[in-house]
Structures are given as structure tokens and as C-alpha cells.
Amino acid sequence: MGNEEETWVVMKTARAPSNIAVIKYWGKRDEKLILPINSSISVTLDPEHLSATTTVAASPAFEKDRLWLNGKEVSVEGVRYKNCLREMRARATDVVIESSGKVIRKEDWNSLHIHIASENNFPTAAGLASSAAGFACLVYALAQLMGVQEKYEGELTAIARLGSGSACRSLYGGFVEWKMGQEIDGTDSIAVQLAEESHWKDLVIIIAVVSSRQKETSSTSGMQESVKTSPLLKYRAEMEKYDESVRKMQSNRVLMEEVVPKRIVQMEKAIKSMNFTEFAKITCADSNQFHATCLDTSPPIFYLNDTSRKLIGLVERWNRHAGEPQVAYTFDAGPNAVMFAKNKEVAAQLLQRLLYQFPPSADTDISRYVHGDQSILESAGVNSLKDIDSLSAPAEVAGIPNLQRIPGEVDYLICTNVGKGAYVLGEQGANLIDPVSGLLKK
């Protein structure tokens, strides 16, 4: 680029999905590099229903880096944003602007300021991995803008990890493992895809959004307190401390001895063989142990509420009555239930049970209560509130005389599927930033 006054704006827009961990990540061995104390496995959710969309733009006319989240400008000075921008600028290459043929040299990216606009199509900070989708999308969009090419497989996931640990898993679709790694610099703490989204097509996911409000205890602070105070967390993932002589000899490595790797191996096997019974047992057990760890923290952390526990009861009663798991549940750091049904038929039965026990408020339109894949709603045979009123009590609750049915106890439901990873949105209308002003579109 020359020194003449220039007003061009170059931009890229991408979308990245949320993900839900079935083997949880909770606790870091390195806060700065966001290195976990155990590996984790997640399922990528369909980005059409749960995702972040991010536009990144660069121009010599920009005076500083700026960031808009869900329509509001916020500070981009947070260390996690700065880390991601620094690492991506360091890997930038020469880029040719298609419209003009102008070349942005790799060294120019260090002086070019970036404008970022991002929005989620689901609640932020409510325990649905909004930060994971957001940082995965940011890194992926910057890679497209700056022409970044991975020097080793998973390099972009290691950078996304610096923004939010779980973000590394949102770059890939299907079923993903975040390997904790052992290197002190974190270069081997990356995400790898275990299976593509097309691998297990029968799996259907229904999310009960109990509360879209921001949680009282953030995941970051919650993890810090658990690492400091929870004996149960040490059981889940225990660090073997070297004596000083061994530490000097192997100062470039950290050995993590975990109890949960057995679950990692079992879950990998269940996913690859599409064994829903094992998948469900491990998913529920790990979720329950994660929340037991939160309760074991001092002071205790309460992410689940009464409605969350009722949802657990609904699934457990049904599975017990059926004689084998029909549905698995898991909860991240929030009260919202993510439930996996083994096929579409079971998903329709699950939706019927959810609508029976957790009906919407009388003034709620059914299409606004059940979001996402509407074919599940059609399979459930529910088209209106009248259809909900006519639903019969499931057999497994017949012996519960005082079963509470409180309209509006669940905010809404999302029906979705296993989805693909991050991708570029090529259409011009998808951009969140105005191509002329470089500011957020109104």
C-alpha cells in the first residue's frame, strides 16, 4: 500500500456454531493460555439455529480497533480479544483486494485497524456457549480476511482457545475433541474432529431454554473457584506434581494424570459406533458430576434451578420406564437443558412430553415457543395451544398425582441437529458492517 490517502474497506463475514460438551471442560491449568486440566468432547449444533455471525473489516481510514456485539459497541481492549487479534496479525499474508487488485502486504496488517461486528441468534451468557461461537467465528473470519493458512492442523483452534476455551471446538462440525495437550506453550492443546456431522444423522437435539438471563457466576470465575476449592474436581482431573529435580529436567512438559480419560475413550467409542445407550449414560453422568463439582466448590455454585431438576426428572423417569435410554441430557454452566434423542420419532415423543409438562403461557403462539427445526413439531402432531391441552399424560407420570404443570416455566424450546463447523457467508447482504462507512449497519 502506498502513503496516499486511501478510503477502501475490505471485509469478510463468517458464521460459526455453538457446541455443547458431553464430556465437560471445567478448570484450567494455565489461565493465560487457557489450557484445560482435562480433555473434553462436544457436539456441534446446527448453525442455522445456534450460531454467531461476525463481520471483520479493515481500512487505512480506521483510527482504532472497534467491536460491536449484538448491536452495541463494547470495548475491544479485553485481553482475550487482543490475544486473538495479535496472533492472527502475526500469521497474516499478502492479500489481493478483488475489487481493485490492490495488495495488502503481510506487514501492513500490523498497522491496519480492524472493525468487528458480531451477533448471536441465541441468548448470550446463558450457558449455551455463546462465547465459544463468538470467538470461533472471530478467528475464522479474520483468517479469511488476512489470508491466514495453518502451519499445522488445528492451529486456528489453538488461537480460538485464547478467546474462549470451548471456542476451539466450534471451528469443526460434528463431534469434536479438545485435547488438553501436555506442552507448556499450549501448541498441542487443540481441537480435532472425531466424526463429521453426517456421521450420526438420526441424532436430534432439543434445548429447553429455562432462562435466557445472564448467569450470576460466569464460567471463568466459576472454574477458578472450583480449581481452588473443590476436592471433587481433583478427582475428575488430578495434576501430578513433579519434584523440583524432575521439573528442571522436563521443564517443557506438564504431565496431567486424569480420572476422566476413561470417559473420553468410552465416549469416542460410543460416537464412532453410534451406540446411543452408552452415549446417553456417559453424557448424563458427566453432566451430573460437573454440577456436583460446582456444588462442591466453596462457596457453592448453583447453575441449575428447580426447573432444570424437573427436566432431569422427566428424562430419568422416561428412560427408566422404557428400560433403556431414550434421551440423554446435559447442562453447561447454566439452567438450560440440552437433550439428545436417539432418532426423530423419539424426538417427537420428547417434544410432546416437554409440551405436556412445560406448556407455554396462554398468550404464546406455538411457533414462537418452539424454534428451530419445525419438522419435529410437525412429527409431534402439535400445531396450536389446543393441541397441547389435548395431550395425554405419559405413562411414566401416571403415578405422580401432584405433577406440576406451570405454563411459562420454560421460556422456549429449540429443536436442532448435529451441525457443520465455521464457514464463510459470501452474500453481500450478510455483512454486518457498512462497506462505505466501515461502521455497524443500521
Side-chain angles (χ1 to χ4, degrees):
M1 294 185 303
N3 294 322
E4 69 275 10
E5 186 71 23
E6 296 177 292
T7 58
W8 51 264
V9 176
V10 61
M11 67 178 69
K12 291 287 184 180
T13 298
R15 179 167 291 160
S18 180
N19 72 79
I20 183 72
V22 289
I23 301 291
K24 303 297 186 187
Y25 142 61
W26 193 251
K28 307 180 189 75
R29 67 182 191 270
D30 187 307
E31 289 284 343
K32 183 178 179 182
L33 295 177
I34 310 187
L35 300 178
I37 62 174
N38 63 270
S39 297
S40 56
I41 293 177
S42 64
V43 180
T44 302
L45 305 177
D46 189 338
E48 288 298 314
H49 308 138
L50 293 106
S51 62
T53 299
T54 300
T55 298
V56 290
S59 172
F62 295 169
E63 297 179 353
K64 62 180 180 178
D65 293 338
R66 296 178 71 178
L67 168 66
W68 292 268
L69 288 181
N70 295 315
K72 294 182 179 179
E73 185 165 10
V74 297
S75 173
V76 75
E77 292 303 307
V79 64
R80 296 191 177 196
Y81 284 105
K82 292 175 76 172
N83 285 345
C84 289
L85 286 167
R86 182 192 67 241
E87 295 300 319
M88 295 305 290
R89 282 175 169 134
R91 291 165 174 79
T93 62
D94 292 352
V95 173
V96 179
I97 301 175
E98 293 178 8
S99 60
S100 65
K102 184 181 293 293
V103 177
I104 306 174
R105 297 190 303 270
K106 62 181 181 180
E107 58 268 24
D108 293 330
W109 290 106
N110 289 319
S111 57
L112 279 172
H113 291 295
I114 305 295
H115 286 186
I116 305 161
S118 186
E119 63 181 25
N120 299 327
N121 63 359
F122 64 101
T124 299
L128 290 174
S130 58
S131 62
F135 277 105
C137 201
L138 171 64
V139 169
Y140 191 80
L142 287 172
Q144 310 311 308
L145 181 72
M146 299 177 175
V148 175
Q149 300 293 322
E150 289 188 327
K151 293 180 180 177
Y152 62 90
E153 190 172 359
E155 185 177 15
L156 287 182
T157 74
I159 298 171
R161 189 199 72 226
L162 297 176
S164 171
S166 301
C168 68
R169 300 190 306 245
S170 276
L171 283 164
Y172 299 140
F175 303 84
V176 183
E177 179 179 354
W178 173 14
K179 293 185 176 293
M180 58 175 285
Q182 293 187 343
E183 300 295 343
I184 286 180
D185 65 1
T187 52
D188 61 344
S189 183
I190 60 173
V192 296
Q193 188 181 57
L194 298 176
E196 295 181 352
E197 59 269 22
S198 60
H199 168 69
W200 200 344
K201 291 183 178 179
D202 286 345
L203 211 59
V204 179
I205 302 153
I206 298 182
I207 301 170
V209 179
V210 173
S211 172
S212 55
R213 294 188 297 273
Q214 185 166 340
K215 55 201 176 195
E216 291 182 11
T217 305
S218 71
S219 299
T220 299
S221 61
M223 285 186 206
Q224 291 171 346
E225 292 305 314
S226 291
V227 168
K228 290 177 187 175
T229 65
S230 171
L232 183 54
L233 186 62
K234 294 180 176 64
Y235 170 80
R236 272 182 66 82
E238 184 171 304
M239 182 181 290
E240 180 180 302
K241 298 187 185 216
Y242 290 124
D243 61 41
E244 194 59 32
S245 60
V246 176
R247 202 175 277 281
K248 286 178 181 177
M249 289 170 59
Q250 301 187 20
S251 59
N252 65 326
R253 300 186 70 81
V254 174
L255 176 64
M256 300 294 290
E257 182 184 359
E258 308 170 56
V259 176
V260 289
K262 290 180 181 176
R263 280 188 184 154
I264 291 283
V265 173
Q266 292 165 351
M267 181 59 81
E268 286 182 7
K269 188 182 295 185
I271 289 169
K272 288 175 181 176
S273 64
M274 293 180 286
N275 184 331
F276 186 79
T277 296
E278 285 303 305
F279 174 86
K281 288 178 180 177
I282 300 166
T283 298
C284 295
D286 202 74
S287 177
N288 290 335
Q289 190 183 69
F290 158 56
H291 286 280
T293 300
C294 293
L295 289 174
D296 189 49
T297 300
S298 181
I301 305 168
F302 301 95
Y303 286 124
L304 305 185
N305 60 22
D306 286 345
T307 306
S308 308
R309 289 183 278 274
K310 290 177 186 177
L311 286 159
I312 291 173
L314 181 153
V315 174
E316 292 285 1
R317 281 193 303 271
W318 185 14
N319 287 346
R320 195 180 312 117
H321 184 266
E324 63 177 6
Q326 304 297 301
V327 173
Y329 59 80
T330 188
F331 295 78
D332 270 357
N336 304 315
V338 179
M339 292 162 283
F340 298 89
K342 62 182 181 180
N343 55 47
K344 192 169 183 176
E345 181 182 351
V346 171
Q349 294 172 23
L350 171 60
L351 187 55
Q352 288 174 339
R353 283 166 166 80
L354 290 168
L355 291 171
Y356 174 82
Q357 189 169 339
F358 303 97
S361 301
D363 58 348
T364 302
D365 184 85
I366 189 67
S367 63
R368 295 179 64 83
Y369 187 65
V370 181
H371 297 238
D373 185 353
Q374 294 297 300
S375 69
I376 308 300
L377 188 61
E378 293 169 10
S379 298
V382 177
N383 299 303
S384 66
L385 293 179
K386 282 186 177 181
D387 292 335
I388 295 176
D389 292 337
S390 63
L391 288 173
S392 300
E396 66 270 15
V397 302
I400 306 176
N402 298 318
L403 181 72
Q404 288 184 310
R405 299 180 65 208
I406 303 174
E409 191 170 7
V410 168
D411 284 357
Y412 59 93
L413 304 168
I414 305 172
C415 299
T416 188
N417 307 281
V418 182
K420 61 183 179 180
Y423 58 98
V424 173
L425 292 175
E427 57 270 28
Q428 191 72 20
N431 293 332
L432 303 178
I433 289 176
D434 185 277
V436 177
S437 68
L439 301 177
L440 182 72
K441 276 185 179 179
K442 293 183 179 178

